[in-house]
Amino acid sequence: MEYDTKTPKSITSDPTSFASDSVRSRWPVILTGAVDDVYRAISKTDDPEKQAEGKKIVEQLGALKYEVQHDRKLSPIEDDGFPDEVAAYNKELQDLGNPSWLDVPWLFSECYMYRRISTFFRLTKHWKDYDMFARQKIDTFRTSRSAVLELASRYRELIEQLRENKAAAHDAEAEKLLFSEFFEICLWGNATDLSLLTNLTYEDIQKLQGSAARKTAEANILINDLPASYDILQKARADGKAERRVDFVLDNAGFELYVDLILAGFLLSSGLATQIVLRPKSMPWFVSDVLPGDFGALLNAISNPKTFFETQTDDEKLQNKIPAPLAEQEIKDLLFVFEHWATMHAEGQLIMRPNRYWTAGGSFWRLPHEEPELHNDLKGAELVIFKGDLNYRKLTGDAHWNPTTPFQEAIGPMGKGSGVNVLSLRTCKADVVVGLPKGKDEELRKTEGGGGDSGQRRWAWHGKWAVVCLSKGS
C-alpha cells in the first residue's frame, strides 16, 4: 500500500460506483456459476474421495457467496503452498482494518475473492489444478464461431501475401493500416468478457464480433495512441535491432486469446517483432482470464475444427440443436492458423511466460518495488501490451483520477522513467478513466444511459467505449 497513489481508490460502499453494483449484483452470479460447474464435475466422477472434496468446495463457495451478500468481514486467506503471497494478502487485510465486503477498496477485494477461491481447490488432493471456468471459456469460444472463421480467412490471406511479397508488405501506409486494423480487432476482442456478460444470448455475442461491428466501433475509441505505438516498432526494425520483443499481459481466454494470437502472428510475420511473450495468470482469475492451459486448449480446438465446432455440446443435446457443418475452406483456414501458430511456438517466436505477480492483490504502482525481476524483464520488450479492463485498473491504481489526468501520470512508477513502454488496450468497464480531453466525460455522461446527473459514470461501465493509451518509459 505504501507505493500506491494517494488519489482515493474506488470502494464498494460508494453507491454511485460500478464497484457497488459489481459486489452486489455480479459477484453472487459468478459464485453461483462456480457452484454449478463444480456440481457438474462431481456428477462425472465415480471417485468417492473426489466427490467428497468437491462437495466441500461447493459448501465453501456457497459460504463465500453468503459472506459477500451479508456484508461479512473478509477473513484471512489460508496458506495453500504460497506463503509469501498469502502473507501479502493477509497483511493488506490487516492494514485496511479488517474491512467488510460492502466497504472495501474494489480492486483489492475482487482480487482477494478469486485468490481465496483458489485456496478451496489448492487445499485438496483431487482438485488442485481444476479450473471451474474452463468450460465457460471454451464454450464461449465455440459460440464465437462466425467471427473465428472470418478472422481465420483474413489471417490466412494476409500471411500468404506477406510470404509472397515481402517488399510490398513493407509499404509504410499499407502496413500502418494493417497494424491499426489488427490492433483494433485485438482491442474489441474483450467485448466478450465472461465476468460481465452474465445474461447475454448467442445472438448478442454475434453482434459484438465481426468486421461490421468493428467498423461501427471505430468512432468509440476515445483515445488512440496506435500511430505512436507503430512508430516505436517500426523504428526498432528500421534501426536494424536484431531482437524486437513485444509482450502481451493477457486478459481473457477463448475468443480474446484467439485475437491476441492473430495480432501476434501479424507482428511476427511483418517483422515488426521477432518474438512475442505471452504473460498469463497462474490461477483461475476473473472468470475468463488466460491460464497457461488455455493456450493449449485453444490450439487443440482449431487443430481439429470439424470435431470442435460440429460436436453437440450438452446444452445443444438438451435443446436438440445440431451445429451446422463447416465448409471445406473454413476447415483449411483454421488448420492454416493452427499450423502457423504451432510453428511459431515450436521455433521460440511465441512463448508463454507465467508469473504469479499478475494475481497479486494490489496495483501495478507496486510492481517496480515488489517484483524488480519482473520489472527488469518487461524493460527488455519494445512494447508491453496490457490487455483489458482489469490491467487498466491495476495500472491506474483503480483510483478516482480527474478524467483529464495524463495516462503517463496516472500509472505512476510504471510511467515516465520506468524503462517500460506501456500500451493499454482497454474497453471501458469500470469507473476509472484518464487522458480524456476537457469536457469529454461530461459530454459522455449526457448520452443515453451515460449517467446524467446521477453522479455515476455509467457510460464507462459496459464496454461501448474504448481507450488505447501509450506511455513511453524513457
Side-chain angles (χ1 to χ4, degrees), residues 287-300:
V287 182
S288 42
D289 281 28
V290 179
L291 302 181
D294 292 322
F295 177 70
L298 180 60
L299 288 184
N300 284 340

Side-chain angles (χ1 to χ4, degrees), residues 325-338:
L326 292 174
E328 280 304 310
Q329 189 56 54
E330 291 171 336
I331 294 169
K332 286 178 183 175
D333 289 342
L334 280 173
L335 289 175
F336 176 92
V337 174
F338 163 72

Side-chain angles (χ1 to χ4, degrees), residues 91-109:
K91 183 180 185 304
E92 186 138 0
L93 267 184
Q94 193 176 2
D95 291 346
L96 288 167
N98 299 308
S100 64
W101 284 98
L102 301 185
D103 188 20
V104 61
W106 182 31
L107 177 62
F108 173 77
S109 61

Side-chain angles (χ1 to χ4, degrees), residues 310-323:
E310 294 183 13
T311 302
Q312 276 182 305
T313 63
D314 291 343
D315 290 340
E316 284 169 338
K317 285 174 186 173
L318 287 172
Q319 296 167 36
N320 204 24
K321 280 187 177 178
I322 298 173

Side-chain angles (χ1 to χ4, degrees), residues 53-332:
E53 284 186 339
K55 286 173 183 174
K56 184 183 176 184
I57 291 168
V58 165
E59 288 172 13
Q60 290 172 312
L61 289 167
L64 179 58
K65 179 183 170 183
Y66 181 90
E67 286 177 32
V68 172
Q69 291 183 306
H70 293 82
D71 196 23
R72 298 295 190 256
K73 289 189 179 297
L74 282 68
S75 56
I77 293 173
E78 288 186 71
D79 184 356
D80 59 359
F82 298 96
D84 293 344
E85 196 176 284
V86 169
Y89 267 96
N90 290 341
K91 183 180 185 304
E92 186 138 0
L93 267 184
Q94 193 176 2
D95 291 346
L96 288 167
N98 299 308
S100 64
W101 284 98
L102 301 185
D103 188 20
V104 61
W106 182 31
L107 177 62
F108 173 77
S109 61
E110 198 163 14
C111 293
Y112 162 90
M113 180 176 79
Y114 289 99
R115 183 62 186 85
R116 185 153 154 224
I117 290 169
S118 179
T119 66
F120 302 162
F121 294 88
R122 292 290 308 170
L123 292 169
T124 66
K125 178 181 175 183
H126 298 282
W127 299 81
K128 279 186 187 297
D129 299 314
Y130 184 76
D131 179 4
M132 63 194 159
F133 304 126
R135 180 179 50 81
Q136 285 175 266
K137 288 188 277 194
I138 205 70
D139 283 355
T140 304
F141 179 64
R142 198 169 177 272
T143 61
S144 305
R145 170 172 161 161
S146 50
V148 168
L149 295 172
E150 176 196 335
L151 288 173
S153 173
R154 178 84 178 92
Y155 184 81
R156 180 188 54 76
E157 288 171 7
L158 174 74
I159 300 303
E160 286 176 347
Q161 285 171 11
L162 289 171
R163 284 173 177 170
E164 287 169 17
N165 196 344
K166 290 268 185 189
H170 288 163
D171 174 273
E173 287 310 306
E175 187 176 73
K176 253 185 190 176
L177 284 170
L178 281 172
F179 181 88
S180 290
E181 180 182 347
F182 278 93
F183 264 90
E184 284 175 25
I185 290 167
C186 199
L187 169 67
W188 295 109
N190 79 346
T192 48
D193 182 339
L194 295 181
S195 72
L196 288 165
L197 305 187
T198 49
N199 297 308
L200 282 196
T201 65
Y202 172 79
E203 288 74 21
D204 292 326
I205 288 172
Q206 294 300 304
K207 288 173 191 169
L208 289 170
Q209 300 167 346
S211 58
R214 291 195 304 274
K215 214 69 179 162
T216 305
E218 274 179 17
N220 292 0
I221 303 176
L222 301 171
I223 302 162
N224 194 341
D225 288 338
L226 285 178
S229 305
Y230 172 78
D231 289 345
I232 288 172
L233 299 183
Q234 193 277 333
K235 183 177 186 305
R237 185 181 62 193
D239 289 349
K241 198 168 181 182
E243 293 182 11
R244 305 183 298 281
R245 201 181 90 206
V246 175
D247 289 12
F248 286 63
V249 182
L250 296 167
D251 188 28
N252 296 317
F255 182 73
E256 187 178 345
L257 178 59
Y258 179 77
V259 295
D260 290 342
L261 294 170
I262 290 274
L263 174 59
F266 163 71
L267 291 173
L268 290 170
S269 298
S270 64
L272 287 167
T274 58
Q275 187 182 55
I276 302 291
V277 174
L278 303 172
R279 298 184 178 272
K281 305 299 190 302
S282 52
M283 68 183 79
W285 194 250
F286 284 67
V287 182
S288 42
D289 281 28
V290 179
L291 302 181
D294 292 322
F295 177 70
L298 180 60
L299 288 184
N300 284 340
I302 63 171
S303 71
N304 193 349
K306 194 170 176 63
T307 299
F308 180 71
F309 284 110
E310 294 183 13
T311 302
Q312 276 182 305
T313 63
D314 291 343
D315 290 340
E316 284 169 338
K317 285 174 186 173
L318 287 172
Q319 296 167 36
N320 204 24
K321 280 187 177 178
I322 298 173
L326 292 174
E328 280 304 310
Q329 189 56 54
E330 291 171 336
I331 294 169
K332 286 178 183 175

